[in-house]
Amino acid sequence: MKASAVLIGKQNRYEKKTMRIFRTCLCLTLGLWPLASFPQEKDAAILISTREEIAAEFATVPCKNQERLPAVKALFEKVGASADDITIEKIKDVENIFVKIPGATEEKIIVGAHYDLAGSGSCGAIDNWTGIVTLAHLYKTFKTIKTRKTILFVGFGKEEQGLVGSKAMVKQIKKEDLQQYCAMVNIDSLGLTVPQVISNLSDKKLEEATIALAKKMELPVQALTVAGAGADSLSFRERGIPSITLAALPGNWPQILHGSGDQVKTVKPESVYLGYRLALSLIAQINDNECGAYRK
């Protein structure tokens, strides 16, 4: 199936398919209802973002680094986080922003995206405001669900300067607590094509789980190796926390990222929406499984 067919056409079938997959994961997550009979009245309480809502987030994009952190905070507040829910943690010279959804256990899933931008003339709309928008809308959905695992939504600072924010966070995790960190899902540079798994930035078990899930959703997700690439998932992998990076990079991405091609007009909101829906189901599946399911 061509990417354009998913990005432009066959909306109704895709919508039904993704909702069925997400409901399946959600039923398992909540452990309350048979898969075939998810109560319709519960749907109204689950805030699934629409393509239009995600597209609206790109009406304005902060194009200067000093504007990004306040804009991330404002976006989380817009999707339902209170000021008390949001923590900005400064570690040395980097600031990370956290929003936490407490689960039934202390087992944790990290969902992350960096908020800084890089490159002459770049607005950072693709890299990585698409990740921040996805992160916020994932929070919007999961805050309406009682999860087994605690979910930490993190906006990382200074990723473009050498994964500074994620390294600072990981360094603070005590060795004896590492087993409580079940997985890390990193969103970096959607908005150009269908979602992809960046293989050299991801653990194999999470990659395989994502590809299998995408197949059920009839979404043509592929695994892609990007030579020399870095992303915040690597910081977690280095400490043995299973991690994955989801992106959406066509063949001409080097001509777009970190330069004047990375503008609001370049963003395909449907690509961001597909990444959001894939990540939504993946996180629900991780939440349902045993914490060690994705370790080597």
Side-chain angles (χ1 to χ4, degrees):
M1 184 185 296
K2 293 182 179 179
S4 58
V6 177
L7 294 173
I8 299 170
K10 300 188 179 180
Q11 302 279 337
N12 291 336
R13 188 178 73 169
Y14 178 75
E15 189 73 24
K16 291 177 182 177
K17 199 79 171 179
T18 52
M19 194 61 200
R20 185 161 68 248
I21 293 297
F22 183 65
R23 284 179 181 174
T24 298
C25 292
L26 186 58
C27 289
L28 291 170
T29 296
L30 299 178
L32 297 176
W33 302 289
L35 299 185
S37 58
F38 190 90
Q40 293 300 313
E41 63 271 16
K42 293 290 181 180
D43 288 353
I46 301 169
L47 298 179
I48 304 292
S49 296
T50 65
R51 299 170 183 79
E52 292 75 22
E53 288 171 328
I54 285 177
E57 305 295 5
F58 295 94
T60 59
V61 172
C63 296
K64 296 180 180 179
N65 265 316
Q66 61 267 33
E67 300 171 341
R68 304 285 269 202
L69 183 57
V72 177
K73 183 175 183 291
L75 181 55
F76 272 115
E77 290 175 342
K78 178 182 175 182
V79 298
S82 69
D84 292 338
D85 293 331
I86 301 170
T87 301
I88 297 175
E89 183 176 69
K90 186 171 184 179
I91 307 171
K92 294 184 178 179
D93 63 343
V94 66
E95 292 177 299
N96 295 330
I97 182 167
F98 295 82
V99 188
K100 179 180 177 180
I101 296 178
T105 72
E106 288 301 314
E107 294 178 339
K108 297 175 181 65
I109 302 170
I110 308 297
V111 186
H114 74 88
Y115 63 82
D116 58 317
L117 62 88
S120 178
S122 171
C123 182
I126 296 291
D127 184 12
N128 187 34
W129 201 249
T130 59
I132 291 297
V133 167
T134 304
L135 188 71
H137 280 266
L138 290 167
Y139 167 78
K140 172 187 170 182
T141 300
F142 277 103
K143 75 182 180 67
T144 64
I145 301 167
K146 292 182 179 180
T147 59
R148 293 180 180 178
K149 295 176 175 60
T150 294
I151 307 179
L152 294 174
F153 297 85
V154 189
F156 295 110
K158 296 190 177 181
E159 187 265 4
E160 301 287 5
Q161 297 180 34
L163 316 183
V164 178
S166 56
K167 286 180 178 179
M169 178 186 171
V170 170
K171 189 175 181 180
Q172 290 191 319
I173 300 173
K174 296 178 182 179
K175 185 176 180 180
E176 58 267 28
D177 294 335
L178 285 171
Q179 293 300 311
Q180 287 189 329
Y181 287 78
C182 308
M184 187 272 184
V185 178
N186 184 49
I187 316 292
D188 196 338
S189 302
L190 299 172
L192 293 175
T193 184
V194 293
Q196 301 154 333
V197 177
I198 309 302
S199 290
N200 52 317
L201 305 177
S202 305
D203 284 285
K204 193 66 176 177
K205 287 187 177 181
L206 278 173
E207 176 184 317
E208 290 172 348
T210 304
I211 296 297
L213 188 59
K215 186 176 181 180
K216 292 179 182 178
M217 299 165 74
E218 296 187 356
L219 183 62
V221 172
Q222 294 181 336
L224 175 71
T225 296
V226 181
D232 288 313
S233 56
L234 288 179
S235 300
F236 292 84
R237 291 187 73 195
E238 287 174 359
R239 293 212 67 188
I241 298 170
S243 307
I244 189 169
T245 286
L246 302 179
L249 302 176
N252 66 336
W253 70 266
Q255 285 76 55
I256 299 173
L257 272 59
H258 296 179
S260 59
D262 191 349
Q263 305 295 329
V264 176
K265 64 182 180 182
T266 312
V267 177
K268 295 180 175 65
E270 182 73 6
S271 169
V272 184
Y273 173 76
L274 295 180
Y276 156 76
R277 293 300 290 258
L278 178 62
L280 198 62
S281 291
L282 175 61
I283 296 163
Q285 184 170 291
I286 295 169
N287 180 62
D288 178 63
N289 285 334
E290 295 297 324
C291 192
Y294 302 97
R295 283 188 162 83
K296 296 177 181 178

